[in-house]
Amino acid sequence: PAGVDAEVNRSRNALALGDPKEAMQAALAALKLRPDHVGARNSKALALLALGRKEEALHFLQETLRLDPQSALTLVNLAHCSRECGRAEEALRWFREALPFAAPLELEGLLPILLDAGRVQEALQLCDRILGVDPRSVPTWNHKSIALRRLGDAAGAVDAADRALALNPRHAKASVNRANALMHAGRFAEVIESAQRAMEIDPQLAGAYLALAAALGEMGRPGEAKAC
């Protein structure tokens, strides 16, 4: 029914706006209309996850998969939820199961799973697949920066972070990853600039302080480094 889809969209929008309680209400309203609606069940699971009820979300997704074992949406969310629950091996397994069914853009949020598992080359290949479909994907450029840095390509990592920041100058994590890539390139003054920019956007971002301290230390300013 059209009402189900409307409630699912309301749930997704509420999550995007950081309101998991509203997202849960909308998901429950959708499930009242159709208890077996896979999209509505996924919306409920994501609301549970956002509310901190991680294990409950994971269990609900596992039940949802029985309704449609080839649901890319459910498989992708199972991978994401498993990672949030600290189950790295399970997350990677669900990621593998999602691959045959999910479009590249559906896999965007799972790039950290590959990076966590040390499968950096695979992560880089997936980044390129996603960017081939959507070259304006800021999170993908950001993850590509991480992958390239881990592969030892500091210049490529800086370029990927720059691409992310050109699309969204207020992406704090991209500023941190730019700083980390610049650190590997030995461009310490620029590290400080990028780290401070990240701190302006998100003062709670620990990586920015670590990058700043490391650069100050390399520049012979240990007192300032300790203050970070």
Side-chain angles (χ1 to χ4, degrees):
V4 175
D5 293 334
E7 293 294 350
V8 170
N9 286 333
R10 182 163 71 93
S11 181
R12 289 173 180 166
N13 291 336
L15 271 183
L17 293 171
D19 189 348
K21 291 183 179 179
E22 173 69 17
M24 177 62 80
Q25 288 176 1
L28 292 174
L31 288 169
K32 188 173 181 180
L33 294 169
R34 251 190 69 183
D36 62 345
H37 191 282
V38 170
R41 292 179 67 88
N42 273 271
S43 291
K44 178 183 175 181
L46 292 177
L48 286 167
L49 186 62
L51 289 166
R53 295 157 63 181
K54 298 179 181 180
E55 292 293 336
E56 192 176 345
L58 186 60
H59 180 69
F60 194 70
L61 284 168
Q62 289 167 341
E63 290 182 343
T64 300
L65 191 64
R66 297 190 187 102
L67 297 173
D68 182 359
Q70 296 183 354
S71 167
L73 177 64
T74 306
L75 289 165
V76 165
N77 284 332
L78 273 166
H80 172 63
C81 192
S82 295
R83 180 176 184 264
E84 290 297 310
C85 289
R87 302 182 183 186
E89 290 185 10
E90 278 187 39
L92 188 59
R93 177 170 64 84
W94 289 122
F95 171 83
R96 295 283 185 229
E97 292 199 25
L99 275 177
F101 308 109
L105 289 179
E106 293 178 291
L107 297 168
E108 179 183 72
L110 302 187
L111 283 165
I113 291 172
L114 290 175
L115 292 169
D116 288 350
R119 299 176 181 270
V120 184
Q121 193 64 52
E122 288 181 62
L124 184 59
Q125 291 170 356
L126 180 55
C127 284
D128 288 337
R129 278 183 61 199
I130 294 168
L131 292 169
V133 177
D134 180 11
R136 298 184 61 81
S137 172
V138 174
T140 304
W141 281 113
N142 186 46
H143 285 113
K144 183 171 183 176
S145 177
I146 297 170
L148 288 169
R149 174 170 53 83
R150 291 186 184 177
L151 290 170
D153 183 357
V158 172
D159 180 68
D162 283 341
R163 295 288 294 269
L165 289 166
L167 293 164
N168 181 2
R170 293 193 59 78
H171 196 288
K173 289 184 179 179
S175 287
V176 170
N177 285 322
R178 184 177 190 272
N180 290 334
L182 289 164
M183 190 75 194
H184 278 255
R187 294 158 59 182
F188 304 127
E190 292 175 79
V191 173
I192 293 173
E193 180 185 344
S194 285
Q196 289 176 334
R197 173 61 177 158
M199 291 159 63
E200 289 173 7
I201 300 166
D202 183 357
Q204 306 303 316
L205 203 55
Y209 294 89
L210 292 172
L212 178 59
L216 289 168
E218 291 290 340
M219 295 177 75
R221 296 157 64 179
E224 293 175 73
K226 288 180 181 178
C228 295

